[in-house]
């Protein structure tokens, strides 16, 4: 997996991933209008059940990330919604073909799919297609949200079927080995009848069932499966999958402790309907045995997937302090494999969001420092800008304003890197303006008084120089002169003789340029 999702948070582990795409020719405004309505259906209460299903929508998703769906089930695309525009009935056939092609891309993980067609006022001839909905216009589609809710209900049916299928493994049956793409070559020639191999299969499958249980709204069961997966995988030193089991355990515990979410999204997530024991946190003590179960529950030939016999005998939920410790442990295991670099990075980001809620800024900064040093593949300039921008937002989240300003300034410089064919000077200038509060700098001269300077003058002068240069490269000499005048007015006491001389020459050249431009009008 090569494309990190910097918006990941712990509660995403309980979501089902649905990709929304357009088919054929469609204006972006119309697509995002419908996308907004579709994505508003983010939580659906399951019929005849007290459980709730949470949906995460994406309009773009890398196919290679989908290959990690067995490793963490919230990464697999289980739903696909296509949006198309069609004026005549004979234009529908190519749209349907394209829709089928899009389904093929995610066929290995897809549970169900839907196609929404807008602009078609004729009756759809093929009434047998229950996966296609036709609307005369983008305004006349009141039933759209209801269609999406029904679609989510169909996803739940498949999810529950898969969960029950996995949990009904008999002790005599052979458990398949789950793996991620880079591991496939590592298992060639291994003895599938060895005790070590079987335990690896059991541990990975147990962790997988924990993921499915969490997505299906069964938080208590998920906690039990994760605990047992940790024990099994630790015994065979299956480090990367052990890290995933620990991360799953952290995610389930975060969902219990922080039902409103850690991602800083608008709105409030509803509390899980599955209620954990009120005194679970009191019973737990740091360093206690991770799983208190009957050893007979772990068979060499099977894993006794029925968690109901173990609930109550397993430690339910990690305490807030232990969540962070387990995150650290998971990250250390991910760090043992270069292929898990993206997973390691995303786990650090999730831990920072939790620590921000716990108001533990110093510990959060340690996780962010780890993010800086995680080596991924060769990133494009756009990806670097995104990475530095997210680091800036996270440092702002934990109250490290100057550090946040530093990374935003790095992102600004990345916008005009020499390797970019068309440097984005406007984006650079905008980002530089956003760094001003972090460096205790205001562009209002009234905020500066004699003998009461705040902040590092050398850094502030450097930033003002960058604003001057960026505004000039934007082709706005008036703005450039304004920033230069402000620099001289407020930073004169800190300028050296050489600095004053160079400023004078720069100011003179800029004034001449500005004068020539005015004369040409």
């Amino acid at each position: 997996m090569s494309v990190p999702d910097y918006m990941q948070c712990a509660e995403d582990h309980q979501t089902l991933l649905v990709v929304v795409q357009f088919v054929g020719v469609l204006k972006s405004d119309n697509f995002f209008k419908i996308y907004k309505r579709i994505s508003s259906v983010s939580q659906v209460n399951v019929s005849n059940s007290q459980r709730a299903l949470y949906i995460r929508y994406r309009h773009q998703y890398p196919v290679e990330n989908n290959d990690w769906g067995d490793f963490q089930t919230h990464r697999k695309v289980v739903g696909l919604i296509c949006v198309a525009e069609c004026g005549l009935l004979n234009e529908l056939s190519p749209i349907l073909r394209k829709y089928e092609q899009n389904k093929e891309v995610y066929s290995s993980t897809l549970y169900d799919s839907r196609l929404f067609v807008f602009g078609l006022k004729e009756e759809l001839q093929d009434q047998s297609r229950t996966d296609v909905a036709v609307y005369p216009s983008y305004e006349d589609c009141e039933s759209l949200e209801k269609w999406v809710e029904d679609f989510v209900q169909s996803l739940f049916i498949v999810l529950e079927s898969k969960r029950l299928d996995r949990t009904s493994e008999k002790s005599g049956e052979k458990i398949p080995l789950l793996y991620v793409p880079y591991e496939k070559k590592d298992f060639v020639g291994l003895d599938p009848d060895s005790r070590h191999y079987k335990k690896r299969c059991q541990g990975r499958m147990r962790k997988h069932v924990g993921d499915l249980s969490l997505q299906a709204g069964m938080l208590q069961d998920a906690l039990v499966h994760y605990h047992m997966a940790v024990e099994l995988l630790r015994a065979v030193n299956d480090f990367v999958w052990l890290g995933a089991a620990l991360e799953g355990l952290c995610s389930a515990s975060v969902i219990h402790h922080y039902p409103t979410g850690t991602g800083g999204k608008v709105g409030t997530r509803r509390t899980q309907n599955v209620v954990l024991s009120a005194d679970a946190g009191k019973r737990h003590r740091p360093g206690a045995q991770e799983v208190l179960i009957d050893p007979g529950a772990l068979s060499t030939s099977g894993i006794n997937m029925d968690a109901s016999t173990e609930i109550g005998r397993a430690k339910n939920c990690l305490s807030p302090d232990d969540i962070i410790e387990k995150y650290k442990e998971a990250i250390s295991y991910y760090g043992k494999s270069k292929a898990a670099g993206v997973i390691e990075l995303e786990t650090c980001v999730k831990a920072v969001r939790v620590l921000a809620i716990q108001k533990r800024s110093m510990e959060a900064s340690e996780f962010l420092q780890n993010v800086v040093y995680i080596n991924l593949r060769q990133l494009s300039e756009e990806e670097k800008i995104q990475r530095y921008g997210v680091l800036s937002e996270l440092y702002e989240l934990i109250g490290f304003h100057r550090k946040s300003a530093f990374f935003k300034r790095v992102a600004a410089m990345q916008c005009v890197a020499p390797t970019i064919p068309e440097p984005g000077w406007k984006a650079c200038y905008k980002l530089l303006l956003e760094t001003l509060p972090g460096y205790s700098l205001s562009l209002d001269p009234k905020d500066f008084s004699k003998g009461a300077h705040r902040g590092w003058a050398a850094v502030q002068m450097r930033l003002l120089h960058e604003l001057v240069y960026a505004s000039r490269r934007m082709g706005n000499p008036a703005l450039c002169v304004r920033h230069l005048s402000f620099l001289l007015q407020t930073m004169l006491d800190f300028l050296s003789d050489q600095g004053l001389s160079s400023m004078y020459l720069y100011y003179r050249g800029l004034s001449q340029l500005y004068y020539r431009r005015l004369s040409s009008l």
Side-chain angles (χ1 to χ4, degrees), residues 410-469:
V410 173
M413 294 300 104
Q414 206 68 49
C415 291
V416 293
T419 52
I420 296 180
E422 297 181 7
W425 286 105
K426 286 186 178 180
C428 173
Y429 179 80
K430 181 177 180 295
L431 287 170
L432 287 174
L433 283 181
E434 293 174 6
T435 67
L436 295 177
Y439 290 116
S440 302
L441 186 60
S442 168
L443 293 182
D444 188 350
K446 295 178 182 178
D447 293 333
F448 288 82
S449 57
K450 195 74 174 174
H453 187 84
R454 292 180 58 218
W456 295 342
V459 177
Q460 291 171 342
M461 283 192 293
R462 176 76 179 181
L463 182 57
L464 288 171
H465 273 294
E466 289 167 352
L467 285 171
V468 169
Y469 189 72

Side-chain angles (χ1 to χ4, degrees), residues 82 92-101 103 112-117 124-134 147:
C82 288
L92 188 60
S93 294
I95 289 175
L96 290 173
R97 284 197 298 271
K98 181 62 177 172
Y99 167 57
E100 295 297 331
Q101 290 171 6
K103 285 167 60 177
D112 204 353
S113 60
R114 291 290 185 274
L115 171 64
F116 295 143
V117 182
L124 184 62
Q125 293 176 348
D126 187 2
Q127 299 295 333
S128 63
R129 295 208 64 149
T130 58
D131 60 339
V132 180
V134 176
W147 258 81

Side-chain angles (χ1 to χ4, degrees), residues 49 51 53 73 76 111 155-169 205-222 225 305-308 311:
S49 172
R51 286 184 263 168
L53 216 59
T73 57
K76 68 169 65 175
Y111 291 177
L155 296 181
F156 172 77
I157 292 172
V158 180
L159 170 67
E160 187 69 355
S161 172
K162 288 182 176 294
R163 186 187 69 81
L164 292 173
D165 182 56
R166 293 299 193 186
T167 55
S168 62
E169 301 278 359
M205 184 60 72
R206 177 71 79 167
K207 185 264 167 197
H208 182 66
V209 174
D211 287 349
L212 295 175
S213 299
L214 190 60
Q215 288 182 307
M218 302 180 70
L219 183 59
Q220 184 73 284
D221 279 34
H225 288 302
M305 284 293 190
D306 184 9
S308 62
I311 293 177

